[in-house]
Amino acid sequence: MANDKINFYYDPIRQGYDTALWKTLSGVPAIIGSDLVFNTASAIGYADILKGNLTINMTIPAVPTAGDVRRFGFAQLALGAYVVFDITGNVFTAQTIDGKGNSASVVIPWRAAWTATPLTFDILWTGFSAEFRINNERLAFINDTSVSSDPLSVYINNANADSTAFHYMEMETTQFYI
């Protein structure tokens, strides 16, 4: 893997649901209008990413409530490593799990203004720390052994039977290969 810093973006208008870039894990992610919609569906990117600044612009259609399961950000599923925004039930967190027994999470109180509105979710992952932002506001920072230093991939999971709309993704200053 090169040490060159790479920047790229994914736009469903331009690329549709590109199965050369995404692996469907469950359900059927689908293009609806100009969005990639996850309705009881999940997918992981094929790119192996080591560190980087991830921006996902997405709309969460409902306030987190009992039974909700949503997770998006970075993951290595076989290892069980994550650097993600997580909604489990009515609890919204920034979460890091290194896949080696260490985990951390910071509760982020849900704001009514975030419901059914396009939001920019940023994860700035350095391999030893992770900063979590929504609409450029820093809401959590984790800097401990729970932050994975292994390569991860972009991951989106919406286990709910609603339409979580993924508008676009940007990656900056990352090392990766496909």
Side-chain angles (χ1 to χ4, degrees):
M1 179 175 8
N3 285 326
D4 297 331
K5 301 296 182 190
I6 307 287
N7 303 309
F8 65 96
Y9 75 99
Y10 177 80
D11 181 348
I13 294 171
R14 179 183 75 173
Q15 292 167 260
Y17 183 58
D18 189 339
T19 57
L21 298 175
W22 293 100
K23 164 74 173 162
T24 301
L25 299 171
S26 66
V28 182
I31 296 295
I32 299 175
S34 60
D35 298 323
L36 176 54
V37 176
F38 291 82
N39 186 339
T40 317
S42 63
I44 192 162
Y46 284 115
D48 298 326
I49 298 166
L50 183 59
K51 307 175 193 174
N53 301 335
L54 172 64
T55 297
I56 295 175
N57 188 271
M58 197 161 66
T59 299
I60 309 265
V63 173
T65 189
D68 278 6
V69 176
R70 300 178 208 272
R71 183 179 264 184
F72 51 95
F74 294 107
Q76 189 185 127
L77 300 176
L79 181 61
Y82 298 90
V83 179
V84 291
F85 287 98
D86 182 87
I87 297 172
T88 301
N90 63 354
V91 181
F92 180 45
T93 61
Q95 188 177 84
T96 55
I97 303 169
D98 73 350
K100 299 166 188 154
N102 301 299
S103 64
S105 64
V106 176
V107 173
I108 301 170
W110 187 263
R111 299 177 187 170
W114 293 344
T115 305
T117 301
L119 299 173
T120 302
F121 297 91
D122 294 306
I123 300 174
L124 289 69
W125 169 49
T126 66
F128 56 84
S129 69
E131 180 176 332
F132 297 82
R133 299 178 183 173
I134 298 176
N135 290 344
N136 294 319
E137 180 183 352
R138 181 178 169 171
L139 296 169
F141 182 75
I142 300 172
N143 183 20
D144 63 23
T145 58
S146 71
V147 178
S148 181
S149 59
D150 293 300
L152 305 174
S153 300
V154 176
Y155 173 68
I156 300 172
N157 176 37
N158 177 31
N160 303 322
D162 61 20
S163 295
T164 296
F166 173 94
H167 309 297
Y168 67 86
M169 172 188 75
E170 296 174 352
M171 277 297 311
E172 295 178 332
T173 66
T174 189
Q175 299 168 335
F176 82 108
Y177 68 91
I178 295 179

